[in-house]
Amino acid sequence: MDKIKNLEQQILKHKHLYYQGKPEISDFEYDALEEELRRLKPTSEVLELVGTLFTGEQKVEHSKKMLSLNKTYKLDELIKWADNKSVLSTFKIDGSSCSIIYEGGSLVIAKTRGDGKVGENITQKILHLASVPRKISYQGKFEIRGEVYCDEKNFIHLSEIMTERGLEKPTSQRNIVAGLLGRKENIDLASYLNFQAFELFQDEVVLKTEEEKFHLLQKLKFETPEFFINKTKEDFEQRLNESREFMTNGDYLIDGLVFSYNELSLHESLGETAHHPRYKMAFKFQGETKTTLLKEIVWQVSRNGILTPVAQVVPVELSGAKVSRVTLHNYGMVNQYQLKSGDEIEIVRSGEVIPKFLSVVKSSENPFIIPEICPSCEKPTSIEDIRLICKNDNCPDKVKDEILNFIQKIGIEDLSSKRLEEMIKMGIVSDIPSLYQIDREKLLTMDKVKDKLADKILESIEGSKKADLITFLASLGINGGAYNKCEKIVINGYDTIEKVMNLNISQLELIESFAEKSATEFVNSLKSKSVIVEKLISYGFELKVKLAPQGDSSVSGMKFCITGTLTMKRSELQKIVKANGGIVQSGVSKETNYLITNDETSTSSKFKKALELKIPIIKEAEFFKLIEK
């Protein structure tokens, strides 16, 4: 009994510290305490507590309890929970949960989670957030829930402002959020926080899926996390890999993913426990932190010219792996913490591809140095906001990284990083298109390259011209242009390079997982690659599209959007559309050929858009008649 009581006290203490932005242990260590208590006393009331006990003066009740999420650390458990259902996933943002109420189209109150039943009124602080609309185009009562967080760029600027004002310097992006939301003065500092919406409650608009919910949030001008529909084990594995990459290189903190059953009818039928909804599941990575000694900071030049700092540290065992390299994020982070050789630092490894820096434990007396010249080309560097930049287009490392990315994605074999570096130094290769002008005789002058290897390299380069359009696009190094994103663009009807190059931002926003920001970044980055694309096409790239077999179906190439009531699972109908050569769109546009639904009338945004654009609305039976033709 003493052990149980001690566990309950520890859990209550650490839960309170976490929600105050002053955690003393890692999430994984906290979860281990809960698991131990659950084993010893599964009926403990402490396990049912959501959030923390309210400590503020302005108490505000939640009309619907703000619950926590059930979580798992194992992929097999996640797959078992998914149970072959269509599941929507988003990154799990590491910040503070918030509820915002709108009435008559105006923001009237914002609240913290608190203990799940009662929160704190933080309206005056939330009004400072540029990412929270003051007014929305819906006149009824509307509740939006989401996460308040601080991205990397704002955290660094916030730290500077707080130092100037004589305030205590913030220690982390996570902790500063709770700190600012709890302040009674300097509340204008909340303008450095961000908000992304992921949930809404209202009475009049009828929604069928989580996907429709996110589209409505975006239509109301809220920023939302990027979302994906997952159906296979491969889909789930890909999402986990993407989250690991984002945990290392993303511009804000995430601590895993959130998965929700896409069909809202399941939300109603499954319901909730006192602690969590049964229709949602959080996946988190087991994490561990340790301290070590920073030996040296190495600055690496990426293909976009940004100098990325990596710490060489005294090797330590972390989450089952020997760690000797740690990412330091960017120039802004190095400058904020005045990082230098000899510092004792705290590092973390959860799902990250490369472990990352958390804080300085003890600062050394060695000089703080930022490279004024690029370590690759020895040209002057420049500071742009929180980035250290090399603007030399011919910087060897910059060129190498861009070409190497293309080589790896397009599938050219036998051209390693070391071999490519030699080719650049010898003038054999200078950019991506120059790969297709390689002279065999020059290849033979390279170290350890004989006739057989030279022929093999040239054959692989020539063979890469047969790459399909999706692979080609994913190889260009477009910002936000991962393979799955490029695939979504192509299957939404942009199935030639000409159509892709003419894409505009508004068209891209209609495609699942593209919001305004990501669509803008993609389009602008794509346009900057136009010269490279033109040259590669002139060298004989075929760029065919590998999609579902179209056969002789009469719907081949047609674009369908699906909404509302159906007699079969939406995922099954989507498969049938694709199998017959049709294209499934996530939203209605003027390019949509048909909207499929069995509803005679509907308040859904897709239905209204189809009526507005005079897009034919057909029932499932009519769609099958089209196929029979």
Side-chain angles (χ1 to χ4, degrees):
M1 292 300 294
D2 287 344
K3 185 171 185 181
I4 290 171
K5 188 175 181 180
N6 182 48
L7 278 170
E8 288 177 332
Q9 289 174 343
Q10 284 191 69
I11 289 169
L12 289 172
K13 169 193 170 185
H14 291 299
K15 186 184 281 283
H16 179 73
L17 288 169
Y18 176 86
Y19 285 105
Q20 294 300 308
K22 303 171 184 177
E24 291 182 352
I25 61 174
S26 70
D27 288 358
F28 184 65
E29 290 170 313
Y30 174 82
D31 291 340
L33 292 176
E34 279 199 347
E35 286 302 313
E36 178 70 0
L37 179 58
R38 188 171 284 108
R39 185 180 67 82
L40 296 173
K41 187 182 178 184
T43 58
S44 172
E45 292 182 1
V46 170
L47 295 171
E48 300 301 322
L49 286 176
V50 177
T52 185
L53 294 176
F54 188 82
T55 57
E57 296 177 358
Q58 291 182 287
K59 295 182 180 181
V60 191
E61 288 189 10
H62 295 295
S63 58
K64 183 177 174 63
K65 193 174 179 182
M66 290 186 74
L67 299 172
S68 292
L69 292 174
N70 198 12
K71 53 183 170 286
T72 181
Y73 291 89
K74 298 176 181 178
L75 176 59
D76 288 344
E77 287 183 0
L78 176 64
I79 299 296
K80 184 179 180 181
W81 168 85
D83 192 29
N84 294 316
K85 295 178 176 68
S86 175
V87 175
L88 181 142
S89 66
T90 66
F91 288 152
K92 186 174 182 293
I93 303 171
D94 199 358
S96 293
S97 295
C98 173
S99 166
I100 306 174
I101 308 297
Y102 291 83
E103 290 183 8
S106 298
L107 191 161
V108 293
I109 193 169
K111 329 168 200 176
T112 63
R113 181 206 297 272
D115 67 357
K117 295 178 182 177
V118 177
E120 180 182 357
N121 186 335
I122 53 169
T123 310
Q124 292 306 312
K125 291 146 192 173
I126 291 300
L127 286 171
H128 281 89
L129 274 64
S131 49
V132 174
R134 306 296 182 272
K135 292 185 177 292
I136 60 174
S137 58
Y138 180 84
Q139 295 302 305
K141 187 172 181 180
F142 215 96
E143 180 176 2
I144 302 290
R145 291 182 178 178
E147 199 79 2
V148 180
Y149 65 100
C150 188
D151 64 29
E152 203 169 72
K153 180 178 176 180
N154 279 342
F155 174 67
I156 291 166
H157 292 323
L158 180 59
S159 179
E160 294 169 355
I161 295 294
M162 292 180 73
T163 302
E164 288 174 8
R165 293 188 185 184
L167 302 173
E168 186 179 348
K169 196 172 185 179
T171 56
S172 77
Q173 288 164 255
R174 172 204 276 175
N175 299 348
I176 191 57
V177 177
L180 289 184
L181 294 182
R183 293 190 75 90
K184 294 182 179 178
E185 69 289 323
N186 290 292
I187 64 172
D188 61 303
L189 293 174
S191 62
Y192 287 92
L193 301 180
N194 316 81
F195 178 78
Q196 288 191 31
F198 54 71
E199 184 61 273
L200 63 86
F201 300 106
Q202 45 71 44
D203 297 326
E204 297 177 16
V205 180
V206 179
L207 300 172
K208 303 291 185 181
T209 66
E210 279 279 290
E211 188 178 3
E212 288 180 6
K213 186 188 294 180
F214 273 80
H215 284 305
L216 178 55
L217 286 168
Q218 291 170 352
K219 186 178 179 181
L220 292 171
K221 305 302 180 185
F222 286 94
E223 292 181 18
T224 69
E226 288 190 355
F227 61 91
F228 297 89
I229 304 300
N230 311 275
K231 296 168 186 173
T232 66
K233 184 176 181 180
E234 290 71 26
D235 290 339
F236 286 95
E237 288 174 338
Q238 185 171 344
R239 294 293 87 77
L240 298 188
N241 289 335
E242 287 168 357
S243 66
R244 287 188 182 96
E245 183 66 35
F246 193 90
M247 289 175 83
T248 301
N249 300 315
D251 58 359
Y252 57 86
L253 297 180
I254 66 170
D255 56 1
L257 293 131
V258 177
F259 294 89
S260 309
Y261 292 144
N262 194 29
E263 299 298 326
L264 295 182
S265 59
L266 286 171
H267 295 210
E268 296 173 9
S269 61
L270 290 170
E272 301 155 346
T273 70
H275 179 265
H276 63 265
R278 294 186 178 93
Y279 46 84
K280 287 180 182 282
M281 177 70 75
F283 184 95
K284 298 179 73 174
F285 297 95
Q286 293 185 1
E288 185 181 4
T289 63
K290 277 191 179 176
T291 59
T292 185
L293 201 67
L294 196 163
K295 298 196 300 186
E296 179 187 9
I297 298 176
V298 177
W299 295 82
Q300 301 173 342
V301 188
S302 67
R303 61 179 178 270
N304 50 19
I306 296 172
L307 274 69
T308 303
V310 176
Q312 304 283 0
V313 300
V314 173
V316 290
E317 190 83 19
L318 202 58
S319 297
K322 183 78 74 158
V323 171
S324 59
R325 296 171 68 249
V326 176
T327 179
L328 298 178
H329 305 277
N330 52 51
Y331 155 77
M333 196 66 74
V334 171
N335 184 52
Q336 164 155 338
Y337 289 94
Q338 297 285 291
L339 292 170
K340 51 200 171 296
S341 64
D343 284 352
E344 187 179 347
I345 61 174
E346 182 183 21
I347 63 175
V348 63
R349 187 171 189 263
S350 302
E352 294 90 352
V353 178
I354 304 173
K356 63 185 180 186
F357 161 81
L358 278 181
S359 64
V360 175
V361 177
K362 184 178 180 182
S363 184
S364 78
E365 295 182 0
N366 292 328
F368 171 68
I369 301 170
I370 292 293
E372 295 181 357
I373 61 169
C374 173
S376 174
C377 64
E378 298 186 350
K379 299 289 184 182
T381 58
S382 59
I383 297 170
E384 293 185 4
D385 204 2
I386 63 171
R387 311 289 181 194
L388 192 62
I389 307 284
C390 172
K391 292 189 174 181
N392 177 15
D393 290 337
N394 298 314
C395 175
D397 280 359
K398 183 177 177 179
V399 172
K400 176 192 165 186
D401 193 47
E402 184 176 35
I403 301 172
L404 186 61
N405 175 72
F406 180 83
I407 286 170
Q408 293 170 340
K409 301 282 177 61
I410 206 75
I412 297 174
E413 299 177 357
D414 298 302
L415 277 186
S416 63
S417 174
K418 188 176 180 181
R419 190 163 284 148
L420 175 62
E421 189 174 344
E422 184 184 356
M423 293 170 79
I424 292 171
K425 286 180 179 177
M426 293 176 66
I428 298 173
V429 172
S430 58
D431 56 18
I432 291 173
S434 66
L435 287 167
Y436 298 89
Q437 296 177 307
I438 290 178
D439 183 273
R440 186 177 186 277
E441 299 306 316
K442 286 186 178 179
L443 266 183
L444 291 170
T445 64
M446 291 176 59
D447 184 39
K448 298 179 182 178
V449 175
K450 307 298 180 185
D451 288 336
K452 187 176 180 179
L453 180 56
D455 290 339
K456 196 174 179 182
I457 291 172
L458 291 171
E459 183 181 338
S460 185
I461 290 172
E462 186 64 25
S464 69
K465 294 179 183 178
K466 295 180 181 178
D468 63 273
L469 178 59
I470 299 170
T471 301
F472 177 80
L473 292 171
S475 303
L476 293 175
I478 302 165
N479 291 340
Y483 185 91
N484 65 306
K485 290 290 193 73
C486 295
E487 183 180 39
K488 288 182 185 297
I489 290 170
V490 173
I491 65 176
N492 272 277
Y494 300 96
D495 51 5
T496 68
I497 190 63
E498 290 77 19
K499 289 179 183 178
V500 174
M501 295 305 294
N502 287 317
L503 252 176
N504 61 43
I505 295 167
S506 59
Q507 288 172 323
L508 198 51
E509 283 185 86
L510 290 171
I511 297 174
E512 178 196 343
S513 80
F514 281 98
E516 182 182 1
K517 182 181 177 182
S518 56
T520 302
E521 287 180 351
F522 185 96
V523 169
N524 290 342
S525 182
L526 176 63
K527 300 300 182 190
S528 72
K529 310 283 184 183
S530 59
V531 174
I532 291 174
V533 171
E534 288 173 11
K535 284 185 179 180
L536 292 175
I537 291 172
S538 72
Y539 294 149
F541 270 81
E542 297 177 11
L543 304 184
K544 293 179 180 178
V545 176
K546 293 180 181 177
L547 295 175
Q550 294 188 359
D552 296 323
S553 170
S554 60
V555 302
S556 295
M558 288 187 180
K559 297 168 186 173
F560 295 86
C561 185
I562 303 170
T563 192
T565 306
L566 302 166
T567 60
M568 66 191 322
K569 286 185 178 180
R570 181 169 307 193
S571 59
E572 293 302 316
L573 183 55
Q574 289 175 336
K575 288 178 184 177
I576 294 170
V577 172
K578 293 176 182 178
N580 284 274
I583 297 161
V584 178
Q585 294 183 307
S586 60
V588 174
S589 72
K590 63 182 180 181
E591 296 175 352
T592 305
N593 294 101
Y594 292 99
L595 175 67
I596 304 174
T597 180
N598 288 336
D599 295 331
E600 295 289 345
T601 183
S602 172
T603 56
S604 81
S605 58
K606 294 176 183 177
F607 199 96
K608 289 179 179 178
K609 189 75 171 179
L611 290 175
E612 180 188 326
L613 297 176
K614 298 181 179 178
I615 304 297
I617 300 174
I618 61 174
K619 296 183 178 180
E620 278 174 280
E622 294 173 275
F623 168 72
F624 285 112
K625 285 181 180 178
L626 281 177
I627 294 176
E628 289 169 9
K629 291 180 183 179

